[in-house]
Amino acid sequence: MGANAIGDHLPALRIERQAVLDFCADLTDAEWHAASLAAGWSVKDVVAHMAADLRNVVTPAALAFMVTKDVESLNERAVAASRPRSPEQVLEGFATWTRVGTAALAVMTAPGLGRVRLPVGELGRHPMRIFPAMFLFDWHTHLRHDIAAALGRPHPPTDERRMAAILEWLTRLLEQSHRERLAWLDAPVAITFTGPGGDTWRIEPDPRRAVRVRRGGTANTAARITARADEFPLWGTTRAAWRDCDVSITGANEIGTRVLDGIDLI
């Protein structure tokens, strides 16, 4: 099992916060204003969005994100509000709000309180202990696949701690957000993520919730999917097609293909 699995994800979030600050420290003005690979957003817009992630934890905006049925629209509004700010102001905002926000998350994820479930718009209800992994996924993916890739810069390195946290969030999100998409599934399917932070997860039919996603082995599964852990945020969000990534299927190819074609995480 990957390091940091089902544990405290706040240290991993703090590591990624510093990775964002280090990467952005020497961006030129042209790079700040360059188009990112997040449709319609510049690099500056993406960093402003990442700052808003943690600002929403400690301001009344948190309520809007809890009750919304359209998280993407709220994200767009937050980015639009930040556009008059300079790159320096946006980076300073990221540094400030993420420092304050991670301090708030330390309280929210404390033993006992971390088990409390809160709604996150249409993404479902999640225990507060998973919130650092949710924000980590957002920053980690935006930095590597939307900013660094757009600028032609090398992807910042990652590690087992961060990837394990990201996989826990994405598989939890898969269970809650894909109940209708995967309601047809009538036999377990296993996905084994290889590389740092990797583990095997089972997607299983469940009469109570349509589908269940949990850690487990490949025994008695109709199809077995193998994929790189570090590529799942890329094809799992349809930034790339899974067929163009290092993904393979054994067993019932039709079932495995249908599961992969159905995954589209926000």
Side-chain angles (χ1 to χ4, degrees):
M1 184 179 295
N4 209 44
I6 319 182
D8 177 11
H9 300 313
L10 199 53
L13 183 66
R14 291 191 174 111
I15 292 170
E16 188 60 21
R17 173 183 181 269
Q18 191 59 51
V20 175
L21 291 170
D22 291 345
F23 184 92
C24 294
D26 66 347
L27 291 180
T28 66
D29 191 65
E31 287 176 319
W32 274 107
H33 291 94
S36 77
L37 294 184
W41 286 1
S42 68
V43 168
K44 180 165 74 76
D45 289 338
V46 176
V47 177
H49 159 69
M50 293 192 289
D53 277 346
L54 270 289
R55 185 174 70 239
N56 293 333
V57 171
V58 294
T59 67
L63 181 59
F65 274 85
M66 290 171 65
V67 302
T68 186
K69 297 301 181 185
D70 190 352
V71 168
E72 292 292 350
S73 291
L74 289 181
N75 288 338
E76 288 289 349
R77 284 200 290 249
V79 166
S82 74
R83 289 207 168 105
R85 299 173 189 153
S86 68
E88 293 76 18
Q89 290 172 321
V90 166
L91 187 57
E92 181 180 358
F94 177 85
T96 298
W97 286 113
T98 56
R99 183 177 64 250
V100 174
T102 52
L105 286 172
V107 176
M108 295 168 64
T109 58
L113 192 59
R115 294 197 298 269
V116 175
R117 292 175 177 268
L118 293 178
V120 185
E122 71 269 31
L123 305 186
R125 297 179 67 90
H126 302 278
M128 288 194 289
R129 70 160 191 82
I130 199 69
F131 282 19
M134 175 176 67
F135 297 127
L136 168 61
F137 153 73
D138 194 65
W139 299 355
H140 192 278
T141 304
H142 281 310
L143 180 60
R144 286 156 186 79
H145 301 303
D146 294 334
I147 295 178
L151 298 178
R153 289 191 173 212
H155 286 192
T158 189
D159 55 32
E160 183 176 8
R161 178 186 289 268
R162 281 176 280 180
M163 288 309 309
I166 289 168
L167 290 180
E168 186 181 351
W169 162 246
L170 288 179
T171 50
R172 176 177 288 277
L173 177 60
L174 177 65
E175 178 180 279
Q176 292 215 21
S177 65
H178 281 52
R179 289 174 180 172
E180 293 185 8
R181 282 175 175 263
L182 297 177
W184 58 268
L185 190 66
D186 59 6
V189 171
I191 302 183
T192 297
F193 296 107
T194 62
D199 206 341
T200 296
W201 300 77
R202 294 171 65 93
I203 305 175
E204 303 172 333
D206 187 309
R208 296 170 302 164
R209 62 185 89 174
V211 67
R212 179 186 182 199
V213 183
R214 64 181 180 89
R215 283 186 175 83
T218 60
N220 302 315
T221 52
R224 293 164 293 284
I225 299 165
T226 302
R228 283 172 40 186
D230 63 347
E231 287 189 339
F232 185 39
L234 186 61
W235 60 260
T237 60
T238 66
R239 283 172 167 82
W242 66 264
R243 291 174 176 82
D244 296 331
C245 297
D246 189 4
V247 179
S248 62
I249 304 169
T250 56
N253 187 76
E254 182 179 352
I255 293 176
T257 297
R258 191 174 175 187
V259 167
L260 289 168
D261 285 342
I263 294 177
D264 184 6
L265 300 164
I266 190 168

